[in-house]
Amino acid sequence: MMNLVKWARLRSPWLLHFNTGACNACDIEVLAALTPRYDLERFGVLLKGSPRHADVLVVTGPVTRQVRDRLLRVYNQMPDPKFVVAVGTCCISGGVFNGCYNVYSGLDSVIPVDAYIFGCPPKPEAIINGVAALLKKLEES
Amino acid sequence: MEWLLELLQILIFPGIVFAIVLAFVYEWFDRKIYAKLQNRVGPLYTGKSGILQPFADFVKLLAKEDITPGEVDKPLFNALPIVALTLSLMGFLALPITGLRGIISFNGDLIFLIALMTLICIVIIYSGISSSNRFSTVGAERAALQLLGYEIPMMLSAISIGILAGSMWVYDIVNTQVSGIWFLVGPSILGFAIFVLCGQAELERIPFDIPEAETEIVAGWLTEFSGKKLALFRLTKDVELLYLSGLAVALFLGGPSGPVISGLEPILYPIYFLLKTLFVLFLLTTLRALFARLRIDQMVNFSWKYLVPLAILQVLLVRVIV
């Protein structure tokens, strides 16, 4: 029974895209990964609008102090089991904004993160690779 | 033994289990054709060319945490997904699949079938309101407004078929088509077009997906539902899709009939049913891929300015012929 559930989980990760103050470059790359050219639906990936429907929270951009509460609220609204992917350098460490008075140094200082995708911005291939790495980690757990 | 056979019919074939399996397969077909029309591949790695994708989605949702937010109307919020699924399955039981009559079949059941569709829409409105979320409420309002738009032309096109067959019994309608010609051929092609368009609105698919418009109101009336409840609502939508294409087949395409070798009817009828419903589903999917979402005022305007007069014209045409 647990095997069946695990199999299902690996094959239908639904994404929720959240922008914590990105410059839009990472957002465009995330959307590009969902276009027909890369067609993530092959792996069962769908983009969902509501946090209640999603499994994977894809976060782009440096986490600002203003967005922290909203980010936490969206994170808490997602049903378990939930996973977080940090896309782009800003999201991982704050990037060029690291040390600013209004920016946290990385997403993992606010919520637990399961996968990091480097790049400024990362290519769609890198994002797909990151999601695949997350799924692999899930499979081994 | 009679009752055992009937129970098996209701539970397994052509009843609930068959309906659910077929609903998953049809969702896969829908997504696959939709992806092909967008120059994509669609679900690919889950089972053979992704055929198990809807099943995987369903199992995953069943195993997820089921959140009941504090502000919701708890009894309604918890009961409505089950009510919706029951209603759509009940509709499926009335479709003629293995023979010329469904498991539930009585004089005047066409009215019952159309009332069921309206009931599902009312369940949707209630589930939006019981969520007490602003997006859900807006979604429910839009669903109610949309219901006012598509319901009357849909009923009129069904009634025109009733007039052609001289009966409101689906069994009689199918029988008339078996002994004559399909109602699709001839004057009812307009009725078929209206029925399919209104069906698209009933299913809340793309030109008419206004109640769950993702880009405007998150997920509309579905916003607060998670885990098991979402799984049941998705299954309801799939069964409803199957039910609606099955009803279109029964009304316009001669039900499960076709050229038969005598003695093989119980095997051939379901096959014809599958082929015909897949054809209707293909039409519905093509509509989904071709259009962009309308605004709610455009939808209601279109419906009352064009669909209702055309449906009345259809009834008049049929009346002149009969």
Side-chain angles (χ1 to χ4, degrees), chain B residues 72-135:
Chain B
V72 303
D73 186 340
K74 283 191 187 63
L76 264 183
F77 190 77
N78 288 325
L80 284 171
I82 304 168
V83 175
L85 184 59
T86 317
L87 287 175
S88 59
L89 281 174
M90 201 147 81
F92 183 80
L93 290 183
L95 293 178
I97 296 168
T98 46
L100 296 185
R101 33 194 319 176
I103 301 172
I104 311 170
S105 180
F106 52 88
N107 201 347
D109 58 357
L110 186 56
I111 298 168
F112 168 71
L113 289 179
I114 289 174
L116 268 184
M117 284 195 280
T118 309
L119 272 179
I120 294 176
C121 191
I122 288 170
V123 167
I124 284 171
I125 295 168
Y126 269 113
S127 55
I129 291 171
S130 72
S131 303
S132 10
N133 171 315
R134 68 200 77 168
F135 300 117

Side-chain angles (χ1 to χ4, degrees), chain A residues 36-122:
Chain A
R37 185 178 172 90
Y38 299 100
D39 189 23
L40 277 183
E41 204 191 353
R42 284 179 296 153
F43 308 104
V45 174
L46 291 179
L47 187 68
K48 287 284 158 185
S50 165
R52 301 264 191 233
H53 302 181
D55 307 291
V56 183
L57 181 63
V58 178
V59 184
T60 53
V63 186
T64 59
R65 284 191 192 277
Q66 198 166 25
V67 90
R68 179 178 172 271
D69 293 344
R70 281 84 180 174
L71 176 65
L72 280 178
R73 195 194 295 157
V74 166
Y75 181 74
N76 289 333
Q77 276 175 345
M78 286 170 65
D80 277 324
K82 54 192 166 189
F83 310 97
V84 179
V85 180
V87 175
T89 313
C90 294
C91 193
I92 294 167
S93 66
V96 289
F97 305 105
N98 194 355
C100 278
Y101 68 97
N102 58 345
V103 168
Y104 286 90
S105 58
L107 178 65
D108 44 11
S109 59
V110 183
I111 50 176
V113 179
D114 297 277
Y116 300 88
I117 299 167
F118 295 92
C120 183

Side-chain angles (χ1 to χ4, degrees), chain A residues 2-19:
Chain A
M2 281 323 285
N3 280 339
L4 179 70
V5 170
K6 198 170 172 183
W7 169 84
R9 244 170 227 161
L10 286 175
R11 272 155 189 78
S12 107
W14 290 354
L15 308 183
L16 175 70
H17 177 201
F18 190 81
N19 181 335

Side-chain angles (χ1 to χ4, degrees), chain B residues 47-240:
Chain B
K48 193 166 166 49
S49 51
I51 197 163
L52 292 175
Q53 186 63 51
F55 179 66
D57 289 348
F58 185 71
V59 172
K60 180 206 74 177
L61 285 174
L62 280 186
K64 266 182 99 75
E65 186 191 2
D66 193 357
I67 303 173
T68 308
E71 292 292 310
V72 303
D73 186 340
K74 283 191 187 63
L76 264 183
F77 190 77
N78 288 325
L80 284 171
I82 304 168
V83 175
L85 184 59
T86 317
L87 287 175
S88 59
L89 281 174
M90 201 147 81
F92 183 80
L93 290 183
L95 293 178
I97 296 168
T98 46
L100 296 185
R101 33 194 319 176
I103 301 172
I104 311 170
S105 180
F106 52 88
N107 201 347
D109 58 357
L110 186 56
I111 298 168
F112 168 71
L113 289 179
I114 289 174
L116 268 184
M117 284 195 280
T118 309
L119 272 179
I120 294 176
C121 191
I122 288 170
V123 167
I124 284 171
I125 295 168
Y126 269 113
S127 55
I129 291 171
S130 72
S131 303
S132 10
N133 171 315
R134 68 200 77 168
F135 300 117
S136 304
T137 315
V138 173
E141 278 167 12
R142 289 182 177 192
L145 205 52
Q146 184 160 296
L147 177 72
L148 293 180
Y150 69 76
E151 197 186 20
I152 289 167
M154 188 177 212
M155 278 180 174
L156 282 174
S157 72
I159 284 170
S160 76
I161 291 301
I163 295 172
L164 262 183
S167 159
M168 290 300 268
W169 192 1
V170 175
Y171 171 65
D172 272 352
I173 290 169
V174 174
N175 231 350
T176 321
Q177 294 178 79
V178 172
S179 50
I181 48 162
W182 293 358
F183 286 149
L184 178 65
V185 191
S188 268
I189 188 143
L190 182 63
F192 181 68
I194 293 169
F195 192 86
V196 167
L197 261 183
C198 295
Q200 193 82 337
E202 161 79 36
L203 294 163
E204 298 176 355
R205 284 146 63 84
I206 271 175
F208 307 117
D209 67 336
I210 308 158
E212 45 188 74
E214 263 193 7
T215 42
E216 301 162 27
I217 47 170
V218 183
W221 56 273
L222 262 175
T223 305
E224 286 292 335
F225 290 92
S226 59
K228 288 185 196 68
K229 300 189 193 93
L230 180 62
L232 289 185
F233 266 128
R234 281 178 63 88
L235 185 59
T236 305
K237 279 285 162 203
D238 292 348
V239 176
E240 208 190 347

